[in-house]
Amino acid sequence: MADAKVLPFDDDRSRSGAGRRRVAQPGTSGAAPVSALPGAQVPESREAGPQAPQEPPEGSGRGAWDRRLAGGLAFLRRRVTGEYEVDEFGYDEELTDQVLMSLLRPLAEKYFRVEVKGIENIPSDGGALVVANHSGTLPLDGLMLQVAVHDHHPAERHLRLLAADLVFMLPVVNELARKAGHTLACAEDAERLLERGEVVGVMPEGFKGLGKPFGDRYKLQRFGRGGFVSTALRAGAPIVPCSIVGAEEIYPMIGNSRTLARILGFPYFPLTPTFPWLGPLGAVPLPTKWTIQFGEPIPTDGYPPEAAEDPMLMFNLTDQVREQIQHTLYKLLVQRRSVFF
């Protein structure tokens, strides 16, 4: 460690930039500067000139609020006049960054206290397919996954989630999902996004994983027919396995009212220790501690074009992804101290 440099005038006035005090010496008609030893105390001069006002730190004070207000008014003006852009899927990047992420971020950081690991396994550019487990009765895990990629990736990448048909049949939810970048879970849309260099997220368990009983928590359901592998092979995009721990316990599903599910047109109607018995209060998720870990990517660009039609290859890659996610889930569960801490 380098020795600190001691200035000969290390007092308040020398640090603040004010002039040194001048006093009359005996036997002289003028005033001469005082020579002080290091550390000597020099009385503060009453004749010192006014100090220049110091600028407030950037990002604080009235100036920061003025900038925020101006930015908010400009945002509202663009909303009212329609001077904003959406892509062919309805994705509104400005609305997502400034509004939707701002609403979801406190839930991720303060309520679920999401810990993100392995985010560097998502490439900084180009397409990538993130494949994650699905759970929690309501699809909050997909939203927290979106916040994790948006806030923690060094390149601030956006995750485009593939959602089930039901999402786009619900009023309000349909519009918000499209604005947030979600699109229909079909091979055509996924392939177009990957070819554009987007990070695409898919949860192959679907409703089987989302609505499974609490007794089957962290046991992966079937991954379908491997359609996501075929899509990644066609686009030559790497597959990034992702394991999410913590979502299983937010709504412990102890029963399923199939009659109500048929009446409402839902794949299941959950019964939890609090819902529907406590009404809307029962819909508040438990504040569990989450961990989201992204595994090492599985490359697909080394396969020939016809590999996307090879059922045996798709089966093997699907099984490889599923096993990697399941193994990581077990490892994270062993490391977890508590459901809530």
Side-chain angles (χ1 to χ4, degrees):
M1 181 174 174
D3 295 336
K5 183 177 180 181
V6 181
L7 298 178
F9 292 94
D10 190 16
D11 57 11
D12 291 340
R13 287 178 52 77
S14 64
R15 284 194 297 269
S16 63
R20 298 172 186 167
R21 183 186 176 196
R22 302 176 66 87
V23 296
Q25 297 294 323
T28 63
S29 57
V34 175
S35 297
L37 294 175
Q41 299 294 326
V42 180
E44 186 175 353
S45 173
R46 297 179 182 178
E47 300 173 356
Q51 300 293 322
Q54 296 183 352
E55 293 292 333
E58 186 176 356
S60 63
R62 181 175 178 179
W65 282 108
D66 289 345
R67 288 191 295 272
R68 292 177 185 175
L69 180 60
L73 292 175
F75 173 79
L76 290 176
R77 181 184 60 79
R78 289 192 295 271
R79 293 287 121 185
V80 172
T81 59
E83 297 177 1
Y84 58 91
E85 296 181 358
V86 296
D87 69 6
E88 57 186 299
F89 299 97
Y91 174 49
D92 189 334
E93 182 175 343
E94 183 185 49
L95 182 69
T96 300
D97 289 350
Q98 298 194 22
V99 178
L100 300 181
M101 287 295 110
S102 298
L103 294 175
L104 293 173
R105 190 170 292 116
L107 188 63
E109 294 180 353
K110 305 299 183 183
Y111 196 78
F112 293 133
R113 294 146 292 146
V114 178
E115 181 181 1
V116 180
K117 299 180 178 181
I119 191 68
E120 68 277 0
N121 288 317
I122 297 178
S124 297
D125 51 45
L129 184 66
V130 176
V131 182
N133 59 306
H134 206 12
S135 63
T137 306
L138 291 181
L140 294 180
D141 53 355
L143 299 177
M144 296 300 101
L145 182 61
Q146 194 173 10
V147 175
V149 174
H150 181 275
D151 286 1
H152 292 270
H153 197 280
E156 299 182 353
R157 304 209 66 181
H158 296 81
L159 181 68
R160 306 293 295 272
L161 284 170
L162 303 180
D165 298 2
L166 179 62
V167 172
F168 302 103
M169 296 169 57
L170 299 174
V172 182
V173 174
N174 167 31
E175 187 67 20
L176 286 176
R178 290 200 178 276
K179 294 285 188 183
H182 304 178
T183 189
L184 194 64
C186 64
E188 292 78 11
D189 286 359
E191 190 172 346
R192 285 161 62 194
L193 287 170
L194 289 173
E195 289 176 347
R196 283 171 37 176
E198 301 280 0
V199 179
V200 178
V202 62
M203 296 173 162
E205 292 177 282
F207 289 121
K208 299 187 301 294
L210 191 64
K212 64 177 176 286
F214 187 66
D216 293 336
R217 60 192 180 280
Y218 299 113
K219 297 177 182 177
L220 293 183
Q221 305 299 299
R222 194 170 65 89
F223 268 25
R225 301 175 182 177
F228 68 91
V229 171
S230 176
T231 301
L233 286 169
R234 287 193 178 92
I239 300 173
V240 182
C242 177
S243 303
I244 303 174
V245 166
E248 295 275 17
E249 295 91 0
I250 59 173
Y251 297 113
M253 186 170 164
I254 57 177
N256 177 20
S257 177
R258 292 181 172 82
T259 302
L260 285 174
R262 284 196 299 270
I263 293 174
L264 297 174
F266 295 160
Y268 56 88
F269 188 89
L271 303 176
T272 76
T274 58
F275 183 82
W277 331 113
L278 299 182
L281 185 62
V284 177
L286 296 177
T288 58
K289 173 72 171 63
W290 287 37
T291 301
I292 298 178
Q293 178 160 337
F294 299 93
E296 293 186 8
I298 301 172
T300 64
D301 53 355
Y303 294 95
E306 60 271 15
E309 307 299 331
D310 185 345
M312 186 56 66
L313 176 61
M314 285 193 295
F315 175 80
N316 290 335
L317 285 176
T318 301
D319 191 57
Q320 180 183 351
V321 174
R322 187 179 182 278
E323 286 300 317
Q324 187 169 337
I325 294 174
Q326 184 69 81
H327 176 73
T328 304
L329 285 174
Y330 288 148
K331 184 173 67 174
L332 292 174
L333 288 171
V334 170
Q335 296 172 352
R336 184 170 67 168
R337 295 180 302 165
S338 165
V339 172
F340 300 101
F341 304 101

